[in-house]
Amino acid sequence: MDAQTLEETRSALEEPLTTSRLGGKAGRLLSSRSPFRGRTHDGELAAYVDFLIEDSGMRLGVCDWGYCVYRTETAACMGDERGTNPLWRTESTCVSCANFAVTDRHRPVWQARLERNLALIADQRLDEASLVLAKTRIAECERILSDLSATEESHGQAASRKPA
């Protein structure tokens, strides 16, 4: 990995490890297991990120709609040992993938996609196949946005239960 790619991967990986709002299948897993959730970036986090990148060989894919905590054996996009398959990597594919994580940074993408598809189903000229597709996309967006909100609420509830 070249130095710039390594630094971008390191920076991108820190966000899902520390954020309190995560969605997607891998996001829910990271959220439940990360000891760094809600913490600031420190030496312990940096050492853990180094371990993930160097020792585990983990790769992180970054796109407008989320992160791919890439593992070949669970890749819904049918990627290979080199990484994700760009031909199959779409919002809909990622939503169903065990490798997918989304943070609050990606919320605007999912909100805009939801609004576009809500506008589509309001159009009486839409054929049945397109209507079904738009409704499927609406459900995907609502699931991601709900994940982000639920994570936020559960984090807030956990914080309110801590002794003062």
Side-chain angles (χ1 to χ4, degrees), residues 7-62:
E7 191 51 42
E8 288 171 1
T9 300
R10 177 177 276 104
S11 177
L13 187 54
E14 287 175 354
E15 183 187 9
L17 288 172
T18 59
T19 189
S20 59
R21 299 179 192 171
L22 276 167
K25 291 179 182 179
R28 287 188 294 275
L29 185 64
L30 282 171
S31 181
S32 69
R33 292 186 177 174
S34 176
F36 304 102
R37 189 168 172 217
R39 286 178 42 183
T40 58
H41 299 208
D42 59 19
E44 210 174 312
L45 173 63
Y48 185 65
V49 168
D50 287 343
F51 162 76
L52 288 175
I53 294 171
E54 296 165 13
D55 295 343
S56 75
M58 198 235 12
R59 283 173 282 173
L60 186 72
V62 179

Side-chain angles (χ1 to χ4, degrees), residues 60-98:
L60 186 72
V62 179
C63 62
D64 293 343
W65 58 87
Y67 295 111
C68 179
V69 184
Y70 188 73
R71 291 187 347 252
T72 306
E73 62 275 8
T74 55
C77 67
M78 311 297 251
D80 58 24
E81 67 281 346
R82 292 179 310 244
T84 60
N85 179 344
L87 297 176
W88 284 61
R89 189 174 181 199
T90 66
E91 292 97 330
S92 293
T93 301
C94 291
V95 164
S96 68
C97 186

Side-chain angles (χ1 to χ4, degrees), residues 91-163:
E91 292 97 330
S92 293
T93 301
C94 291
V95 164
S96 68
C97 186
N99 300 342
F100 187 59
V102 61
T103 68
D104 215 34
R105 164 192 311 254
H106 307 105
R107 184 186 297 266
V109 172
W110 292 97
Q111 188 64 48
R113 187 174 191 240
L114 174 63
E115 291 167 9
R116 279 192 312 274
N117 283 281
L118 286 170
L120 276 175
I121 65 169
D123 189 333
Q124 300 299 317
R125 300 171 296 171
L126 203 62
D127 64 79
E128 189 61 33
S130 298
L131 184 63
V132 168
L133 181 59
K135 286 181 178 181
T136 298
R137 289 179 175 166
I138 288 168
E140 292 168 353
C141 294
E142 288 175 339
R143 186 174 343 134
I144 291 296
L145 294 169
S146 175
D147 276 358
L148 292 173
S149 295
T151 304
E152 178 181 61
E153 289 165 9
S154 66
H155 186 317
Q157 290 169 357
S160 68
R161 285 191 298 260
K162 288 183 182 174

